[in-house]
Amino acid sequence: MKSSGPSENVQESVSLNNLVEVFREAFLSGDEKTVYEVEARMCNVEVLRKQLVEQVSTLSEEMTSGKENYIRLQADFDNYRKRSEKERLTVRSDAQREVIESLLPMVDNFERAKQLIKPETDREKKIDASYQGIYRQFVEVMRSLHVSAIASLGKPFDPLVHEAIGREESQQFREGIVIREIHRGFRLGERVLRPAKVKVSAGPGSEKSKPLAVESAGQTAAAAGVDEQ
């Protein structure tokens, strides 16, 4: 009669090492039932091991995916924050630009008035001094907003900041040099608010041509108080 000890051990054992020991004893004693039971139990253990490996792999993939999603969301948020800040600055800059552009005709009017008005009496001189004081304050405000006049006279023509409205022969300046400023241009920081309208030298021309003096419809930037760049 075969001993029932190994069979009881199969039911009570919980570790793989115990199963191996039970299998060895059953095999040596010829207990086929116990051998089959141990083999079945070991197959179950292998199935459980594979399931655990799959679960661990799935959890690892989920953790990796979650980390990637977090990184992606963080990057999306950073991009959104940067884009929002850029849009905010753009809106602010555009609004500032519109306001300053609306004030440029006042600059033109001040400069034209200064050219035309020639005070003679004491009363006229007092009015002119008051007017010039207001204009200086206005210029200081423009400077504080980083508004500057575009350098034109005697400079090479630059289509980025100059608008050519004609060409004239010049004995004084070589071809491509701005010889006359018709309408002053301005910058806001590095952005062009209004290009300068200019006339450009076409070169010496014929020898009989008279030298053409450099003229400007407005005052020079130094006289007007607006810095040139």
Side-chain angles (χ1 to χ4, degrees), residues 68-160:
E68 291 175 351
N69 288 336
Y70 171 77
I71 294 174
R72 185 164 50 252
L73 287 173
Q74 184 67 32
D76 289 343
F77 176 76
D78 288 341
N79 291 334
Y80 169 76
R81 180 177 55 79
K82 292 176 182 178
R83 186 169 59 254
S84 297
E85 179 65 12
K86 183 178 180 180
E87 290 175 354
R88 184 184 69 82
L89 293 176
T90 299
V91 170
R92 178 181 177 183
S93 177
D94 289 345
Q96 186 182 45
R97 178 189 178 104
E98 290 178 5
V99 171
I100 294 174
E101 283 180 338
S102 69
L103 296 176
L104 291 183
M106 293 180 62
V107 176
D108 298 334
N109 292 334
F110 270 116
E111 293 184 357
R112 277 194 293 267
K114 187 172 183 178
Q115 278 190 313
L116 297 174
I117 297 175
K118 305 296 180 183
E120 296 179 356
T121 66
D122 290 340
R123 184 170 181 274
E124 288 175 345
K125 290 179 180 178
K126 287 181 180 179
I127 294 175
D128 182 66
S130 176
Y131 148 80
Q132 292 300 330
I134 295 173
Y135 183 48
R136 281 193 294 270
Q137 292 180 10
F138 183 75
V139 168
E140 288 303 317
V141 171
M142 298 290 277
R143 283 177 174 172
S144 70
L145 295 174
H146 307 290
V147 176
S148 59
I150 294 173
S152 298
L153 300 179
K155 302 290 184 180
F157 175 77
D158 183 352
L160 297 178

Side-chain angles (χ1 to χ4, degrees), residues 168-172 203-212:
E168 292 182 2
E169 294 180 355
S170 172
Q171 298 295 327
Q172 185 177 358
S206 63
E207 294 182 358
K208 294 182 179 180
S209 298
K210 295 181 179 180
L212 182 62

